[in-house]
Amino acid sequence: MPKIPATRKLLLKRPDQDKIQWTLTNHNEKRKHYKNPIESPRSIVITTVDIAKKFIKLVYNTNDKQVKIDEIVKDIKHLHNNLAFSTKVFIEYVLEHVSDIASLLVIYYELSVQLDVLALSTRSLLAYIPHFDEPLCELFYYQDKVGEAYIQVLDETTLYDIFVLDGKQFLNWSGLMKAENVQRLLCILKYYSKTMKKEQCLSLLLQLQTTKPENVNKYNLKQIKRAKEFIFTPNKMSTKQSNTFIVKTPILQFLSTWFFEFEPNSMLKLIEFALNLILLNSESNEKVPDISLLLYTYNIGCKQLVLEGKDIMRITDIIEILNEASIKSLEQENSGALGLILTFGQLAFENMHESVGYTYASWFQATFIHAKTCILNKKTSIIFMNMLQQLIPYELPSILQIHGKAVYGCPSISTADIYVLTVKKRLLELGVDSTFRKYPQSINTPVQLTTVVEDDISDILRQFVKRGEVVPHSLLSASVFRRTWFISTFLPKLLSWEEKSEIQARDKLIESLRKDKKIPDAMYQDFIQRKKK
């Protein structure tokens, strides 16, 4: 056997110096057995910890970020392809040395999406962060798009826990909620709406704020009244309440897009959903949700239709849904349900009346009062008036004025007079007009009392004499509901009135007011002393 020289131990500079290998490869360079005078960068040994250190530097210094990310991506791919990269070592080292978790999450996400190997993923990082709520919330403050990416890979238990946390804040209409929590909850709702039915998702949200009242119907009516006060009389809200409604608007806008009233391609009707919910709760002994959410969502949806100029196209469908729901509530003889449907009508027409030329008063008259268009029969007409009577303590003054004027003098309703008298009494208690001479121009502003002005002393005295020395009703109302004006403006002018032809009438009116305890003792005694002089 021929002796083969041990050329492989030689340090060769060119491949053709290895005669045997050069012959076997037909003079082609296949293997390098020579020393390259310039070392390849990859010949330098890089570890997972080295890459983690580069990553940490990037977290704290994002100058030339993309260049640095590209370099880290190449290093990770090199180690991963050689089965030398450890995801566990990388993440543990990074988490041990980085305190700014939000910045870490952003850079980690940007790095992971550029890797075409499964070396790093958002899901693998989350497994090493036990308390993810706070950093995720902070992430939505700075980078909501990145926050959405992490939401997508959260396990269901963690995701639901965060949903409960943010959802309870959202349903607290008197409490503050940070914008980042709103964005996080919005993202979760978008995720849930793709993985479950929208009515199931909405029910899940509603169940986060429940109570077990003694009387479900009264509880529902109180919640409806409170929601209407927030919507129609925003000046009564505190600054905190006003601010929290503004912050929560994006979620309400998103929820409104689930419903047919605002999105014609949807099969789910908000009014129908709300009606079924309130009827179901009225028969339940379990805890019931606060339905205010549905009213706020409907109100925002109506506003959005107006802004987009779509209210004219949708009003016909909305009226049809309102009428169908009204009939169903009457069939169930549930005053809470009727109050809810009427409130939906109030929200719709208050927002849209300028565009559609149709007010809540117009719809109420056409639907329940006018013989030609009324949806009521003899039986449901009686039920309607009975339930309308039950709603009086929970209605806004402007709504009572609308209902009272619509029913006033209606011959087809046998109990109209009883209802009108009760409404008048309630309006007097509320200190607003009870004459039913005209409808309020807006639900926000009820018709005010027609009270006397400073220059009408003579007119009041004539009314007093003409009515057989009975104090005019408007003056008595003013003494109760405009007491500051009555005491500081009207009485001083009356007590100093010196028109000779009206002195006798003035004195008798003063005595009548004195008898009714409408004049303070000090003012009356001062009047007597001046009169003696």
Side-chain angles (χ1 to χ4, degrees):
M1 184 173 180
K3 184 178 179 181
I4 301 175
T7 58
R8 294 188 181 279
K9 292 184 179 180
L10 298 177
L11 187 63
L12 306 177
K13 295 184 177 181
R14 299 193 314 277
D16 59 352
Q17 290 180 328
D18 186 345
K19 301 297 184 181
I20 297 174
Q21 185 67 22
W22 188 249
T23 302
L24 291 173
T25 58
N26 293 321
H27 301 173
N28 291 314
E29 182 178 346
K30 186 172 183 182
R31 297 181 183 178
K32 294 183 179 180
H33 300 286
Y34 63 95
K35 183 178 180 181
N36 191 340
I38 303 176
E39 278 191 330
S40 168
R42 293 295 168 209
S43 65
I44 301 173
V45 177
I46 297 176
T47 67
T48 300
V49 171
D50 293 328
I51 301 175
K53 290 178 179 178
K54 287 184 179 181
F55 178 87
I56 293 169
K57 289 180 180 178
L58 177 57
V59 170
Y60 290 109
N61 182 3
T62 56
N63 292 334
D64 300 321
K65 180 170 69 173
Q66 190 55 53
V67 174
K68 294 175 181 177
I69 288 178
D70 290 342
E71 183 180 339
I72 294 173
V73 166
K74 288 180 182 178
D75 290 342
I76 291 175
K77 289 173 67 174
H78 173 70
L79 287 189
H80 184 269
N81 292 335
N82 287 280
L83 304 179
F85 182 78
S86 170
T87 302
K88 181 176 183 294
V89 170
F90 179 88
I91 293 175
E92 287 181 343
Y93 189 88
V94 166
L95 288 175
E96 182 181 349
H97 293 85
V98 175
S99 58
D100 187 354
I101 301 300
S103 296
L104 183 155
L105 291 170
V106 173
I107 301 299
Y108 185 94
Y109 168 76
E110 293 175 349
L111 175 63
S112 67
V113 295
Q114 295 185 47
L115 279 170
D116 55 5
V117 294
L118 298 177
L120 296 175
S121 67
T122 50
R123 192 184 300 276
S124 59
L125 175 63
L126 296 185
Y128 291 87
I129 304 178
H131 305 292
F132 193 54
D133 167 51
E134 188 173 336
L136 180 61
C137 193
E138 189 178 354
L139 192 58
F140 271 92
Y141 181 79
Y142 295 106
Q143 294 272 357
D144 55 342
K145 294 296 182 184
V146 178
E148 290 177 14
Y150 283 100
I151 288 290
Q152 302 294 324
V153 297
L154 281 175
D155 64 273
E156 291 301 318
T157 301
T158 304
L159 185 64
Y160 181 72
D161 290 342
I162 295 174
F163 169 74
V164 171
L165 182 68
D166 289 345
K168 287 184 176 181
Q169 284 189 55
F170 175 70
L171 295 173
N172 180 5
W173 305 110
S174 299
L176 289 174
M177 186 175 186
K178 294 180 180 178
E180 51 267 36
N181 290 89
V182 170
Q183 289 301 318
R184 186 170 68 175
L185 178 59
L186 178 59
C187 182
I188 295 174
L189 287 170
K190 288 179 179 178
Y191 174 78
Y192 276 164
S193 67
K194 294 176 182 177
T195 58
M196 65 179 76
K197 291 182 179 180
K198 290 181 172 61
E199 51 264 52
Q200 183 183 355
C201 183
L202 187 58
S203 297
L204 201 64
L205 181 60
L206 285 166
Q207 288 302 317
L208 297 180
Q209 186 82 349
T210 59
T211 188
K212 192 171 183 180
E214 293 181 6
N215 187 308
V216 175
N217 195 52
K218 286 185 178 180
Y219 171 76
N220 287 330
L221 288 172
K222 287 179 181 178
Q223 298 308 309
I224 294 169
K225 180 185 179 183
R226 180 171 177 266
K228 288 204 289 189
E229 287 175 342
F230 277 3
I231 293 170
F232 291 123
T233 56
N235 57 311
K236 291 186 178 181
M237 281 198 295
S238 65
T239 303
K240 184 174 76 170
Q241 289 171 331
S242 179
N243 290 340
T244 196
F245 266 89
I246 294 171
V247 170
K248 293 174 180 178
T249 296
I251 294 179
L252 297 173
Q253 287 178 333
F254 174 67
L255 293 177
S256 70
T257 63
W258 293 0
F259 298 99
F260 173 74
E261 289 92 333
F262 314 111
E263 176 48 63
N265 294 324
S266 174
M267 299 298 292
L268 185 61
K269 298 176 182 178
L270 196 155
I271 294 176
E272 189 178 273
F273 178 90
L275 178 60
N276 290 335
L277 180 66
I278 203 169
L279 291 175
L280 181 65
N281 289 338
S282 64
E283 299 174 357
S284 173
N285 293 322
E286 303 297 326
K287 291 184 176 181
V288 298
D290 178 2
I291 56 176
S292 300
L293 170 63
L294 304 178
L295 295 172
Y296 297 135
T297 300
Y298 192 84
N299 184 55
I300 289 295
C302 290
K303 287 183 181 297
Q304 196 63 30
L305 284 182
V306 174
L307 287 173
E308 296 172 359
K310 297 178 181 178
D311 48 337
I312 298 176
M313 295 182 288
R314 302 298 305 138
I315 191 63
T316 302
D317 286 328
I318 287 174
I319 290 175
E320 184 178 344
I321 296 170
L322 284 169
N323 291 351
E324 289 175 356
S326 297
I327 293 171
K328 186 173 181 179
S329 68
L330 292 171
E331 290 173 348
Q332 297 295 322
E333 298 189 30
N334 188 302
S335 59
L338 178 64
L340 181 66
I341 303 308
L342 293 178
T343 301
F344 281 127
Q346 292 153 21
L347 295 172
F349 295 111
E350 184 66 15
N351 282 293
M352 304 182 196
H353 71 274
E354 291 185 4
S355 303
V356 303
Y358 207 56
T359 63
Y360 172 70
S362 304
W363 173 76
F364 185 84
Q365 282 182 305
T367 307
F368 303 110
I369 307 300
H370 289 167
K372 292 183 179 180
T373 56
C374 182
I375 64 173
L376 306 177
N377 54 36
K378 188 174 182 179
K379 178 184 177 181
T380 54
S381 176
I382 296 172
I383 295 171
F384 174 72
M385 290 308 303
N386 288 339
M387 289 200 291
L388 212 59
Q389 187 92 12
Q390 295 174 38
L391 297 178
I392 291 176
Y394 306 97
E395 284 293 8
L396 299 180
S398 55
I399 301 301
L400 290 175
Q401 289 173 338
I402 291 172
H403 293 174
K405 180 169 173 51
V407 174
Y408 184 71
C410 181
S412 60
I413 301 177
S414 59
T415 56
D417 291 342
I418 299 173
Y419 175 76
V420 169
L421 287 172
T422 310
V423 168
K424 278 192 172 188
K425 182 180 178 181
R426 176 61 176 161
L427 290 173
L428 284 172
E429 292 173 356
L430 296 171
V432 295
D433 182 71
S434 61
T435 62
F436 305 130
R437 292 175 183 174
K438 59 181 180 179
Y439 285 115
Q441 292 184 344
S442 169
I443 293 176
N444 298 332
T445 52
V447 180
Q448 297 300 318
L449 281 168
T450 307
T451 56
V452 294
V453 294
E454 292 82 343
D455 297 329
D456 285 344
I457 299 296
S458 292
D459 184 53
I460 290 173
L461 292 173
R462 283 194 295 270
Q463 290 183 45
F464 176 69
V465 173
K466 187 177 179 180
R467 290 168 57 88
E469 299 181 357
V470 175
V471 179
H473 177 73
S474 59
L475 186 59
L476 288 175
S477 297
S479 70
V480 176
F481 301 112
R482 293 191 64 193
R483 184 160 181 78
T484 301
W485 170 84
F486 181 80
I487 296 295
S488 62
T489 302
F490 173 75
L491 282 180
K493 191 157 188 175
L494 175 65
L495 295 173
S496 61
W497 192 252
E498 297 294 342
E499 183 65 40
K500 290 183 180 181
S501 62
E502 297 174 337
I503 292 296
Q504 187 178 1
R506 179 204 69 175
D507 291 347
K508 289 184 177 180
L509 176 58
I510 290 172
E511 290 303 322
S512 295
L513 292 172
R514 167 71 174 172
K515 185 179 179 181
D516 292 336
K517 298 181 180 180
K518 300 298 182 183
I519 303 178
D521 290 339
M523 291 183 73
Y524 181 74
Q525 293 302 327
D526 182 62
F527 166 72
I528 296 298
Q529 292 298 325
R530 282 190 286 107
K531 190 176 178 182
K532 288 179 179 180
K533 293 178 182 178

